[in-house]
Amino acid sequence: MINRREFVQTTLGAVAASFVTAAGASSQPEVKGEMPVNQDTIFELRQYTLRGGKREVLISMFEESFLAPLNAAGAHVVGTFRDLDDPDRFVWMRSFSDMPARAQALATFYEGPLWQSKKAAANATIVDSDNVLLLRPASPDGGFLSSSIHDGKKEEIIGARIHYLGTADPASFAAYFDHAILPRIVELGAKPVARLVTEDAANNFPRLPVRERERVFIWLARWPSAKEEAAFTARFGALSGWRDAAPEAILPALMRKPERLRLAPTATSVLR
């Protein structure tokens, strides 16, 4: 029988160790005095739609059987979450040092004997697993920060906003976000932990589909509770004029409301 406390401590330590980098401190308001801690350059945001009542089954299977082998293969599990707005949705993130390492890590895990012996049971809980975005840091300081890995309180949640860019240039959108939106987010009480954009490289492990036609900018943040995230959302929604100075080229990306995720970290989630 697995010792949960020992398992969590071992897993968090191993993953956190893989994130340490000597990068300099960022000049952005939410990272002042901090360093990016994830040296990986490739990320996946994976949203699974599950069969009714099967989320806890998959989470238990994931924690007990898949988490440590994924990390050992080089597919670093950044976070695992329950979607607070859908009882049949499991959301998780993993990262890789680069695209060639991604292909190698996924081949190691999915072609290995462990997955082969358990994939039928895992897949039996899943309706769809193709809602996947392939991402990279939006800037050198856009990856996960030192405050991303800590002993969070049980009620804390991670929120994500997915902006669909269309034809807007990701670098231009990221620059506008950092200048015009990020300071407001911080002022309103959110604690941003990462900013990511679509990775343009082709999917080099096609057995696992990704949404290759989608171009996105994602920011993730932490709130003390779902109630405070809701209060932040209401306050931000009441702001006026924040798009007035936006460059015309990125306006289409600001016209569509971003997708909002409210995520409760599981017991073994590194990001919490």
Side-chain angles (χ1 to χ4, degrees):
M1 178 66 69
I2 187 170
N3 181 310
R4 178 172 293 275
R5 176 178 294 180
E6 183 177 308
F7 172 77
V8 171
Q9 290 175 343
T10 301
T11 301
L12 296 187
V15 177
S18 73
F19 287 179
V20 174
T21 179
S26 165
S27 61
Q28 297 303 334
E30 87 284 15
V31 298
K32 187 176 180 180
E34 293 190 42
M35 294 186 298
V37 294
N38 191 323
Q39 63 185 354
D40 288 345
T41 64
I42 301 297
F43 296 82
E44 293 177 2
L45 174 62
R46 310 185 65 84
Q47 300 185 60
Y48 288 4
T49 300
L50 307 180
R51 300 190 184 280
K54 296 298 183 181
R55 184 162 70 181
E56 297 310 310
V57 175
L58 181 60
I59 288 174
S60 178
M61 189 182 309
F62 193 97
E63 291 178 341
E64 294 180 5
S65 299
F66 303 146
L67 182 54
L70 279 165
N71 287 325
H76 306 128
V77 181
V78 178
T80 50
F81 310 97
R82 296 174 177 88
D83 188 326
L84 291 175
D85 296 305
D86 188 339
D88 297 328
R89 187 70 62 92
F90 172 63
V91 180
W92 65 293
M93 296 187 70
R94 62 186 173 193
S95 65
F96 311 86
S97 59
D98 53 31
M99 286 297 288
R102 175 180 182 266
Q104 180 60 52
L106 296 182
T108 297
F109 179 78
Y110 290 104
E111 294 171 8
L114 175 70
W115 175 250
Q116 295 301 316
S117 67
K118 295 182 179 293
K119 66 179 181 180
N123 288 336
T125 70
I126 300 171
V127 174
D128 176 77
S129 60
D130 293 350
N131 186 353
V132 179
L133 294 169
L134 190 62
L135 307 162
R136 59 178 171 80
S139 62
D141 64 355
F144 289 90
L145 311 173
S146 56
S147 60
S148 304
I149 301 174
H150 74 142
D151 294 328
K153 297 179 181 179
K154 184 176 181 180
E155 65 271 19
E156 286 189 327
I157 71 165
I158 295 295
R161 302 294 189 273
I162 304 175
H163 294 265
Y164 290 87
L165 299 180
T167 59
D169 175 62
S172 298
F173 187 92
Y176 177 76
F177 177 89
D178 285 354
H179 172 73
I181 303 177
L182 184 57
R184 295 173 184 256
I185 289 171
V186 175
E187 289 171 5
L188 292 176
K191 296 180 180 179
V193 294
R195 306 185 305 286
L196 307 169
V197 296
T198 296
E199 167 57 49
D200 293 326
N203 179 12
N204 60 357
F205 197 77
R207 279 172 44 192
L208 299 182
V210 302
R211 293 160 60 187
E212 293 185 270
R213 295 184 179 182
E214 300 282 10
R215 301 173 71 250
V216 302
F217 175 96
I218 302 177
W219 61 272
L220 297 99
R222 179 186 298 107
W223 284 270
S225 67
K227 181 178 180 180
E228 293 198 37
E229 189 275 344
F232 165 89
T233 300
R235 291 194 298 269
F236 189 86
L239 292 177
S240 175
W242 58 271
R243 286 174 286 240
D244 291 356
E248 185 175 351
I250 71 166
L251 280 176
L254 295 173
M255 296 303 102
R256 179 176 175 179
K257 288 186 177 182
E259 181 179 348
R260 174 189 176 199
L261 300 181
R262 301 187 311 138
L263 306 172
T266 67
T268 59
S269 182
V270 175
L271 178 60
R272 53 188 314 104

mmCIF file of all heavy atoms in Angstrom, residues 36-61:
data_model
loop_
_atom_site.group_PDB
_atom_site.id
_atom_site.type_symbol
_atom_site.label_atom_id
_atom_site.label_comp_id
_atom_site.label_asym_id
_atom_site.label_seq_id
_atom_site.Cartn_x
_atom_site.Cartn_y
_atom_site.Cartn_z
ATOM 1 N N PRO A 36 11.969 32.491 -12.495
ATOM 2 C CA PRO A 36 11.281 31.353 -13.102
ATOM 3 C C PRO A 36 11.927 30.063 -12.610
ATOM 4 O O PRO A 36 13.150 29.984 -12.530
ATOM 5 C CB PRO A 36 11.500 31.568 -14.602
ATOM 6 C CG PRO A 36 11.794 33.024 -14.741
ATOM 7 C CD PRO A 36 12.538 33.399 -13.483
ATOM 8 N N VAL A 37 11.121 29.076 -12.267
ATOM 9 C CA VAL A 37 11.677 27.861 -11.696
ATOM 10 C C VAL A 37 11.549 26.656 -12.621
ATOM 11 O O VAL A 37 12.107 25.606 -12.328
ATOM 12 C CB VAL A 37 11.012 27.526 -10.343
ATOM 13 C CG1 VAL A 37 11.347 28.588 -9.328
ATOM 14 C CG2 VAL A 37 9.517 27.376 -10.482
ATOM 15 N N ASN A 38 10.802 26.781 -13.684
ATOM 16 C CA ASN A 38 10.681 25.658 -14.600
ATOM 17 C C ASN A 38 11.550 25.932 -15.819
ATOM 18 O O ASN A 38 11.257 26.822 -16.615
ATOM 19 C CB ASN A 38 9.214 25.474 -15.006
ATOM 20 C CG ASN A 38 8.988 24.181 -15.743
ATOM 21 O OD1 ASN A 38 9.833 23.761 -16.516
ATOM 22 N ND2 ASN A 38 7.860 23.545 -15.520
ATOM 23 N N GLN A 39 12.624 25.177 -15.966
ATOM 24 C CA GLN A 39 13.525 25.386 -17.096
ATOM 25 C C GLN A 39 12.996 24.732 -18.364
ATOM 26 O O GLN A 39 13.604 24.893 -19.432
ATOM 27 C CB GLN A 39 14.902 24.847 -16.761
ATOM 28 C CG GLN A 39 14.943 23.348 -16.502
ATOM 29 C CD GLN A 39 16.316 22.891 -16.064
ATOM 30 O OE1 GLN A 39 17.265 23.670 -16.066
ATOM 31 N NE2 GLN A 39 16.436 21.631 -15.691
ATOM 32 N N ASP A 40 11.903 24.003 -18.295
ATOM 33 C CA ASP A 40 11.336 23.375 -19.480
ATOM 34 C C ASP A 40 10.791 24.440 -20.425
ATOM 35 O O ASP A 40 10.345 25.514 -20.004
ATOM 36 C CB ASP A 40 10.225 22.406 -19.095
ATOM 37 C CG ASP A 40 10.762 21.135 -18.436
ATOM 38 O OD1 ASP A 40 11.977 20.895 -18.541
ATOM 39 O OD2 ASP A 40 9.974 20.407 -17.818
ATOM 40 N N THR A 41 10.795 24.123 -21.716
ATOM 41 C CA THR A 41 10.362 25.081 -22.734
ATOM 42 C C THR A 41 9.071 24.673 -23.434
ATOM 43 O O THR A 41 8.521 25.453 -24.208
ATOM 44 C CB THR A 41 11.455 25.267 -23.801
ATOM 45 O OG1 THR A 41 11.652 24.023 -24.504
ATOM 46 C CG2 THR A 41 12.766 25.701 -23.168
ATOM 47 N N ILE A 42 8.586 23.462 -23.180
ATOM 48 C CA ILE A 42 7.385 22.955 -23.828
ATOM 49 C C ILE A 42 6.397 22.497 -22.765
ATOM 50 O O ILE A 42 6.769 21.772 -21.839
ATOM 51 C CB ILE A 42 7.705 21.781 -24.784
ATOM 52 C CG1 ILE A 42 8.694 22.232 -25.874
ATOM 53 C CG2 ILE A 42 6.422 21.234 -25.411
ATOM 54 C CD1 ILE A 42 8.162 23.335 -26.788
ATOM 55 N N PHE A 43 5.132 22.910 -22.923
ATOM 56 C CA PHE A 43 4.085 22.567 -21.967
ATOM 57 C C PHE A 43 2.868 22.029 -22.708
ATOM 58 O O PHE A 43 2.629 22.365 -23.875
ATOM 59 C CB PHE A 43 3.670 23.803 -21.154
ATOM 60 C CG PHE A 43 4.764 24.359 -20.296
ATOM 61 C CD1 PHE A 43 5.728 25.197 -20.825
ATOM 62 C CD2 PHE A 43 4.848 24.025 -18.949
ATOM 63 C CE1 PHE A 43 6.755 25.706 -20.041
ATOM 64 C CE2 PHE A 43 5.859 24.526 -18.150
ATOM 65 C CZ PHE A 43 6.812 25.369 -18.706
ATOM 66 N N GLU A 44 2.115 21.189 -22.021
ATOM 67 C CA GLU A 44 0.808 20.756 -22.521
ATOM 68 C C GLU A 44 -0.246 21.073 -21.465
ATOM 69 O O GLU A 44 -0.057 20.754 -20.281
ATOM 70 C CB GLU A 44 0.784 19.246 -22.785
ATOM 71 C CG GLU A 44 1.673 18.777 -23.922
ATOM 72 C CD GLU A 44 1.632 17.255 -24.067
ATOM 73 O OE1 GLU A 44 0.884 16.604 -23.299
ATOM 74 O OE2 GLU A 44 2.356 16.731 -24.928
ATOM 75 N N LEU A 45 -1.337 21.680 -21.893
ATOM 76 C CA LEU A 45 -2.522 21.820 -21.047
ATOM 77 C C LEU A 45 -3.537 20.817 -21.566
ATOM 78 O O LEU A 45 -4.017 20.920 -22.700
ATOM 79 C CB LEU A 45 -3.089 23.234 -21.122
ATOM 80 C CG LEU A 45 -4.424 23.460 -20.385
ATOM 81 C CD1 LEU A 45 -4.278 23.212 -18.886
ATOM 82 C CD2 LEU A 45 -4.955 24.862 -20.647
ATOM 83 N N ARG A 46 -3.888 19.832 -20.736
ATOM 84 C CA ARG A 46 -4.708 18.710 -21.150
ATOM 85 C C ARG A 46 -6.017 18.722 -20.360
ATOM 86 O O ARG A 46 -6.004 18.680 -19.126
ATOM 87 C CB ARG A 46 -3.960 17.383 -20.930
ATOM 88 C CG ARG A 46 -2.549 17.366 -21.506
ATOM 89 C CD ARG A 46 -1.886 16.000 -21.379
ATOM 90 N NE ARG A 46 -2.558 14.995 -22.171
ATOM 91 C CZ ARG A 46 -2.342 14.768 -23.470
ATOM 92 N NH1 ARG A 46 -1.444 15.499 -24.139
ATOM 93 N NH2 ARG A 46 -3.006 13.831 -24.104
ATOM 94 N N GLN A 47 -7.140 18.794 -21.067
ATOM 95 C CA GLN A 47 -8.454 18.769 -20.439
ATOM 96 C C GLN A 47 -9.188 17.508 -20.896
ATOM 97 O O GLN A 47 -9.532 17.368 -22.068
ATOM 98 C CB GLN A 47 -9.264 20.007 -20.830
ATOM 99 C CG GLN A 47 -8.615 21.325 -20.433
ATOM 100 C CD GLN A 47 -9.513 22.510 -20.734
ATOM 101 O OE1 GLN A 47 -10.641 22.617 -20.221
ATOM 102 N NE2 GLN A 47 -9.031 23.416 -21.566
ATOM 103 N N TYR A 48 -9.435 16.601 -19.956
ATOM 104 C CA TYR A 48 -10.079 15.332 -20.274
ATOM 105 C C TYR A 48 -11.538 15.374 -19.843
ATOM 106 O O TYR A 48 -11.852 15.735 -18.700
ATOM 107 C CB TYR A 48 -9.406 14.179 -19.525
ATOM 108 C CG TYR A 48 -8.022 13.798 -20.016
ATOM 109 C CD1 TYR A 48 -7.376 14.510 -21.027
ATOM 110 C CD2 TYR A 48 -7.357 12.713 -19.460
ATOM 111 C CE1 TYR A 48 -6.120 14.151 -21.458
ATOM 112 C CE2 TYR A 48 -6.089 12.345 -19.892
ATOM 113 C CZ TYR A 48 -5.477 13.068 -20.895
ATOM 114 O OH TYR A 48 -4.219 12.707 -21.317
ATOM 115 N N THR A 49 -12.416 14.974 -20.740
ATOM 116 C CA THR A 49 -13.824 14.764 -20.407
ATOM 117 C C THR A 49 -13.995 13.287 -20.043
ATOM 118 O O THR A 49 -13.626 12.401 -20.828
ATOM 119 C CB THR A 49 -14.730 15.120 -21.586
ATOM 120 O OG1 THR A 49 -14.535 16.503 -21.918
ATOM 121 C CG2 THR A 49 -16.197 14.900 -21.223
ATOM 122 N N LEU A 50 -14.546 13.051 -18.849
ATOM 123 C CA LEU A 50 -14.615 11.686 -18.324
ATOM 124 C C LEU A 50 -16.043 11.162 -18.295
ATOM 125 O O LEU A 50 -17.006 11.929 -18.365
ATOM 126 C CB LEU A 50 -14.035 11.657 -16.907
ATOM 127 C CG LEU A 50 -12.634 12.238 -16.736
ATOM 128 C CD1 LEU A 50 -12.198 12.132 -15.288
ATOM 129 C CD2 LEU A 50 -11.634 11.554 -17.659
ATOM 130 N N ARG A 51 -16.166 9.881 -18.154
ATOM 131 C CA ARG A 51 -17.473 9.253 -17.986
ATOM 132 C C ARG A 51 -18.007 9.589 -16.594
ATOM 133 O O ARG A 51 -17.249 9.851 -15.660
ATOM 134 C CB ARG A 51 -17.378 7.743 -18.188
ATOM 135 C CG ARG A 51 -16.871 7.370 -19.577
ATOM 136 C CD ARG A 51 -16.990 5.906 -19.884
ATOM 137 N NE ARG A 51 -16.407 5.619 -21.192
ATOM 138 C CZ ARG A 51 -17.011 5.834 -22.357
ATOM 139 N NH1 ARG A 51 -18.246 6.324 -22.358
ATOM 140 N NH2 ARG A 51 -16.418 5.558 -23.499
ATOM 141 N N GLY A 52 -19.325 9.604 -16.480
ATOM 142 C CA GLY A 52 -19.967 10.000 -15.239
ATOM 143 C C GLY A 52 -19.451 9.227 -14.036
ATOM 144 O O GLY A 52 -19.397 7.998 -14.061
ATOM 145 N N GLY A 53 -19.059 9.973 -12.995
ATOM 146 C CA GLY A 53 -18.620 9.344 -11.761
ATOM 147 C C GLY A 53 -17.238 8.734 -11.793
ATOM 148 O O GLY A 53 -16.845 8.058 -10.838
ATOM 149 N N LYS A 54 -16.459 8.974 -12.857
ATOM 150 C CA LYS A 54 -15.161 8.303 -12.994
ATOM 151 C C LYS A 54 -13.965 9.197 -12.683
ATOM 152 O O LYS A 54 -12.823 8.738 -12.767
ATOM 153 C CB LYS A 54 -15.011 7.746 -14.425
ATOM 154 C CG LYS A 54 -16.013 6.660 -14.789
ATOM 155 C CD LYS A 54 -15.850 5.436 -13.886
ATOM 156 C CE LYS A 54 -16.794 4.311 -14.292
ATOM 157 N NZ LYS A 54 -16.657 3.135 -13.400
ATOM 158 N N ARG A 55 -14.213 10.462 -12.304
ATOM 159 C CA ARG A 55 -13.061 11.345 -12.094
ATOM 160 C C ARG A 55 -12.173 10.856 -10.956
ATOM 161 O O ARG A 55 -10.944 10.828 -11.098
ATOM 162 C CB ARG A 55 -13.519 12.788 -11.839
ATOM 163 C CG ARG A 55 -12.341 13.749 -11.710
ATOM 164 C CD ARG A 55 -12.731 15.192 -11.899
ATOM 165 N NE ARG A 55 -13.534 15.710 -10.805
ATOM 166 C CZ ARG A 55 -14.024 16.957 -10.758
ATOM 167 N NH1 ARG A 55 -13.800 17.786 -11.781
ATOM 168 N NH2 ARG A 55 -14.744 17.375 -9.740
ATOM 169 N N GLU A 56 -12.765 10.487 -9.849
ATOM 170 C CA GLU A 56 -11.945 10.039 -8.718
ATOM 171 C C GLU A 56 -11.215 8.737 -9.043
ATOM 172 O O GLU A 56 -10.112 8.496 -8.552
ATOM 173 C CB GLU A 56 -12.801 9.893 -7.466
ATOM 174 C CG GLU A 56 -13.412 11.201 -6.990
ATOM 175 C CD GLU A 56 -12.388 12.324 -6.878
ATOM 176 O OE1 GLU A 56 -11.330 12.103 -6.246
ATOM 177 O OE2 GLU A 56 -12.639 13.418 -7.434
ATOM 178 N N VAL A 57 -11.832 7.910 -9.873
ATOM 179 C CA VAL A 57 -11.172 6.673 -10.294
ATOM 180 C C VAL A 57 -9.904 6.992 -11.072
ATOM 181 O O VAL A 57 -8.829 6.428 -10.818
ATOM 182 C CB VAL A 57 -12.127 5.812 -11.149
ATOM 183 C CG1 VAL A 57 -11.395 4.582 -11.698
ATOM 184 C CG2 VAL A 57 -13.344 5.390 -10.339
ATOM 185 N N LEU A 58 -10.017 7.927 -12.024
ATOM 186 C CA LEU A 58 -8.850 8.269 -12.839
ATOM 187 C C LEU A 58 -7.791 8.978 -12.007
ATOM 188 O O LEU A 58 -6.592 8.711 -12.163
ATOM 189 C CB LEU A 58 -9.260 9.132 -14.025
ATOM 190 C CG LEU A 58 -8.104 9.518 -14.965
ATOM 191 C CD1 LEU A 58 -7.448 8.276 -15.559
ATOM 192 C CD2 LEU A 58 -8.574 10.454 -16.069
ATOM 193 N N ILE A 59 -8.194 9.891 -11.127
ATOM 194 C CA ILE A 59 -7.213 10.584 -10.296
ATOM 195 C C ILE A 59 -6.438 9.592 -9.436
ATOM 196 O O ILE A 59 -5.208 9.673 -9.321
ATOM 197 C CB ILE A 59 -7.908 11.647 -9.423
ATOM 198 C CG1 ILE A 59 -8.368 12.828 -10.302
ATOM 199 C CG2 ILE A 59 -6.972 12.148 -8.325
ATOM 200 C CD1 ILE A 59 -9.180 13.863 -9.563
ATOM 201 N N SER A 60 -7.139 8.649 -8.828
ATOM 202 C CA SER A 60 -6.466 7.645 -8.015
ATOM 203 C C SER A 60 -5.496 6.826 -8.858
ATOM 204 O O SER A 60 -4.349 6.569 -8.444
ATOM 205 C CB SER A 60 -7.507 6.729 -7.361
ATOM 206 O OG SER A 60 -6.886 5.726 -6.600
ATOM 207 N N MET A 61 -5.925 6.415 -10.035
ATOM 208 C CA MET A 61 -5.065 5.632 -10.923
ATOM 209 C C MET A 61 -3.848 6.457 -11.351
ATOM 210 O O MET A 61 -2.713 5.964 -11.379
ATOM 211 C CB MET A 61 -5.871 5.187 -12.152
ATOM 212 C CG MET A 61 -5.167 4.187 -13.043
ATOM 213 S SD MET A 61 -6.165 3.771 -14.510
ATOM 214 C CE MET A 61 -7.735 3.342 -13.742
#
